[in-house]
Amino acid sequence: MSNNLNLDGCDLVKLALKYGTPLYVFSQGMIERRCREIKEQFLNRHEGSHAYYASKAFLTLAMCQIIEKEGLGLDVVSGGELHLALKASFPAERIVLHGNNKLRQEIEMAVESGVGRIVVDWEGEIDIIDEVSKIKGQKTPILLRVTPEVKAMTHKYIQTGHRGSKFGIPLERIPYVVKKTISLSNVELKGFHFHLGSQIDDYRTYLEAVDVITKLMSDLREGLGYTTEELDIGGGFGIGNGEGSLTKPISYFTDPAMERIKARCLTFGLPLPSVAIEPGRWITGEAGITLYTVGAIKEIPGSCTYVSVDGGMADNIRPALYGARYRAEVANKMGRDKDKIVTVAGRCCESGDILIEDLPVPGDIEPGDILAVFNTGAYSYSMASNYNMLPKPAVVFVDKGEDILVVERETYDDLVVKQRGIRSALRV
Ligand code: LLP
């Protein structure tokens, strides 16, 4: 019996040998199970509801195919994400376009392809959508993103619903914007959207925002006779770290939110809007593992032991950017006593490129070992860079003992393919 770490029937050490490291490995089954939980616990239980996977968390053609097959929608935030989704033949009507500064060209792309909704983030955007839609002879369904002035308890960099956020239309401007929007002929105002932030682990944060938004809906109905048909409460549903904290079921967030929406609508005498959610991390975060090969090991007396791996902040910026904490195992030495504490360092030329501090590992950890870092399925690959001219790792999906390469590893040539020398330096 091998002592190697296994994911969905695949030996991760063998995968590291087969594809090289660093390597992103995803459990397809876990992604599908998360989608099904959303269907069973949210979509099937609430008429007219929608769930859009926030593709910024992790987007590849294969991922789009899974989301399509599972019947969810897709949230995209740029022309690039939209392009990829359309390349994967994702149905445009199931796509919602976000962005706090959408380019006109992106709006044109969205209108032309017939995306289901555009979520407007600032007042001027409405005129652009209206004009573009008029040229194309269409009426575009939109939502207005509202800043509900709710501060989520999460890292400052990933709070988005507080007063002063760069996202959304300030609350007090909404009545003017609604009035203007409903007078336009090429946009159709379906309702409102808020997104409070990411890695939120308390459902009460959503309730605070629901209270604000339903009051707004009531005021708009009274003041302008405008009835909200749709309410999109965004994403941000947190995941556990695999140790002390566990990932909560989606219903932990959605049940109380739905109850509160229903109760408030009843109180205000409002018709119940159809409700949408936009989970990203909750779907892919735990499904991904990053594999690295251990290289340099430095024991610094009186300080710490650095175990360096062949990746780092270029394939996972989250520890450096948000102080994110990860759990890891030496994949080829499972089940042994962990009698050594090490600091896992990346290979980028930055002292801040530390992936994990104080990680217990087997005392005989050595160069060539395979380190598996858990819960890296969201915002690792999608935020990867080529810093230090490091090629981006490959992405492999595993499912019931089979592995499939869904993104090839970049080559050194890929890194220079778009570059040109300067004319004066060319020797002819
Ligand atoms: N909807 C909107 C409008 C969003 O802006 C986001 C994330 C989501 C949904 C999905 O949020 P999730 O369910 O994945 O938390 N790079 C950061 C996260 C930034 C999230 C940006 N917006 C990180 O690595 O933690």
Side-chain angles (χ1 to χ4, degrees):
M1 237 322 248
S2 145
N3 266 351
N4 291 346
L5 185 65
N6 193 287
L7 182 66
D8 284 3
C10 289
D11 182 322
L12 290 176
V13 179
K14 285 193 183 145
L15 282 189
L17 280 173
K18 179 171 173 184
Y19 295 106
T21 55
L23 183 69
Y24 299 110
V25 185
F26 282 79
S27 158
Q28 186 176 330
M30 181 176 272
I31 296 173
E32 290 166 349
R33 283 194 296 281
R34 289 287 163 92
C35 293
R36 283 169 204 164
E37 186 177 326
I38 288 172
K39 267 189 282 183
E40 282 156 23
Q41 299 300 320
F42 179 67
L43 297 175
N44 294 348
R45 288 174 50 200
H46 305 288
E47 216 190 307
S49 60
H50 293 277
Y52 300 95
Y53 166 63
S55 67
K56 71 204 75 169
F58 170 68
L59 181 64
T60 69
L61 294 175
M63 185 62 199
C64 274
Q65 289 172 319
I66 296 179
I67 294 298
E68 205 282 310
K69 171 174 79 72
E70 293 301 326
L72 267 53
L74 202 68
D75 145 4
V76 301
V77 76
S78 68
E81 288 184 352
L82 178 57
H83 178 75
L84 190 146
L86 297 174
K87 276 256 166 201
S89 303
F90 198 91
E93 65 278 10
R94 274 160 57 190
I95 297 178
V96 44
L97 175 69
H98 278 285
N100 68 304
N101 184 21
K102 301 174 194 71
L103 310 178
R104 186 185 170 100
Q105 183 198 342
E106 292 172 323
I107 292 172
E108 284 170 353
M109 231 175 125
V111 171
E112 211 153 277
S113 59
V115 301
R117 299 284 178 271
I118 297 182
V119 180
V120 170
D121 203 280
W122 70 292
E123 298 179 34
E125 191 184 327
I126 303 165
D127 299 314
I128 307 175
I129 302 174
D130 189 57
E131 194 188 310
V132 168
S133 306
K134 191 170 180 187
I135 295 169
K136 311 266 183 217
Q138 279 169 236
K139 189 159 187 164
T140 302
I142 62 169
L143 301 178
L144 299 181
R145 178 164 175 168
V146 182
T147 316
E149 304 189 357
V150 170
K151 201 171 196 169
M153 291 287 286
T154 186
H155 191 282
K156 183 170 176 261
Y157 291 176
I158 50 178
Q159 291 170 333
T160 51
H162 55 287
R163 184 166 181 88
S165 167
K166 75 165 185 174
F167 297 101
I169 300 168
L171 205 48
E172 65 265 35
R173 287 293 307 164
I174 294 290
Y176 303 97
V177 180
V178 168
K179 198 168 173 192
K180 170 184 158 172
T181 308
I182 53 183
S183 73
L184 297 172
S185 18
N186 292 89
V187 291
E188 186 185 358
L189 181 60
K190 291 283 188 187
F192 301 98
H193 169 280
F194 62 75
H195 174 71
L196 304 173
S198 202
Q199 190 55 4
I200 296 171
D201 63 9
D202 189 338
Y203 72 87
R204 288 171 298 188
T205 311
Y206 294 88
L207 304 189
E208 276 182 58
V210 164
D211 286 353
V212 173
I213 211 96
T214 44
K215 169 79 171 63
L216 176 74
M217 282 158 57
S218 168
D219 290 349
L220 291 171
R221 195 163 145 102
E222 265 176 33
L224 297 175
Y226 174 74
T227 305
T228 305
E229 284 171 55
E230 296 178 19
L231 175 60
D232 184 334
I233 64 169
F237 315 114
I239 61 169
N241 63 10
E243 283 176 321
S245 63
L246 295 175
T247 298
K248 291 162 178 137
I250 200 69
S251 55
Y252 166 84
F253 299 101
T254 51
D255 279 2
M258 289 306 297
E259 263 170 46
R260 183 67 71 101
I261 293 169
K262 283 180 191 157
R264 296 276 293 179
C265 285
L266 203 64
T267 309
F268 289 125
L270 293 169
L272 192 64
S274 63
V275 178
I277 56 171
E278 299 172 339
R281 189 191 317 268
W282 192 87
I283 292 180
T284 53
E286 276 187 297
I289 290 182
T290 312
L291 301 178
Y292 301 97
T293 303
V294 170
I297 299 183
K298 270 181 211 169
E299 297 206 7
I300 305 177
S303 174
C304 68
T305 299
Y306 284 110
V307 166
S308 295
V309 293
D310 55 353
M313 66 193 301
D315 60 76
N316 185 358
I317 188 74
R318 303 195 66 260
L321 195 56
Y322 317 113
R325 293 169 71 89
Y326 287 90
R327 189 173 68 89
E329 294 279 356
V330 178
N332 55 312
K333 290 182 174 159
M334 297 300 289
R336 300 201 196 171
D337 284 348
K338 294 180 187 170
D339 41 11
K340 199 176 176 114
I341 302 288
V342 302
T343 298
V344 180
R347 58 170 308 209
C348 286
C349 293
E350 299 279 335
S351 290
D353 184 18
I354 300 295
L355 283 178
I356 307 175
E357 277 175 312
D358 299 329
L359 179 72
V361 292
D364 61 350
I365 187 167
E366 60 194 333
D369 282 345
I370 302 298
L371 190 79
V373 179
F374 298 98
N375 290 7
T376 58
Y379 303 106
S380 296
Y381 173 70
S382 61
M383 294 179 84
S385 78
N386 291 120
Y387 183 46
N388 290 168
M389 279 281 158
L390 297 182
K392 286 187 194 161
V395 183
V396 167
F397 278 18
V398 293
D399 192 27
K400 301 182 196 81
E402 302 210 347
D403 53 270
I404 162 166
L405 180 68
V406 299
V407 183
E408 283 178 40
R409 181 176 304 284
E410 283 183 351
T411 64
Y412 288 148
D413 278 343
D414 288 335
L415 299 176
V416 285
V417 74
K418 292 290 186 198
Q419 299 204 15
R420 302 285 182 270
I422 51 167
R423 190 174 282 276
S424 59
L426 290 178
R427 303 235 151 70
V428 267

